[in-house]
Amino acid sequence: MAAGGFCKLPNGTVVVALNLPTPMSAEADRDAASVRILVHAVNRARALTRLRNLGMRAVYLRGNAAPPTPDEVTAVLHHPDGLIWRTTPDNDVMAPPELWRPIRSLLRRPVTRT
């Protein structure tokens, strides 16, 4: 189950935040960092549907344990797709935060040459 949460905006839309394991970590490295995905949508159900339509079929939001911060809400509202991600920082390492990326860069498959 993914940790995550949501917040309702004054105009009635919601921003959903989810922490998910990276797609690459299941194959290569079990200790790899997870990713934080932010989705802006009309409601929570539509936000999860947007992720499921991208191939993330087993994504569910249970509870509101990790809602998006005000900075995360601002980031997703200023992105034209309303769907962004970045790696979740480790609690042990004090590194500068990574920039938000469009979801297409996460889902892009590496090209294999034969």
Side-chain angles (χ1 to χ4, degrees), residues 10-47:
N11 65 356
T13 61
V14 297
V15 174
V16 173
L18 293 168
N19 293 341
L20 301 171
T22 59
M24 291 70 66
S25 67
E27 306 162 351
D29 185 10
R30 298 284 180 200
D31 297 328
S34 62
V35 294
R36 177 99 165 152
I37 297 177
L38 299 175
V39 184
H40 179 232
V42 176
N43 55 38
R44 285 181 289 174
R46 182 63 187 141

Side-chain angles (χ1 to χ4, degrees), residues 63-79:
N64 199 14
T69 64
D71 290 339
E72 291 175 335
V73 171
T74 302
V76 76
L77 289 178
H78 282 87
H79 195 273

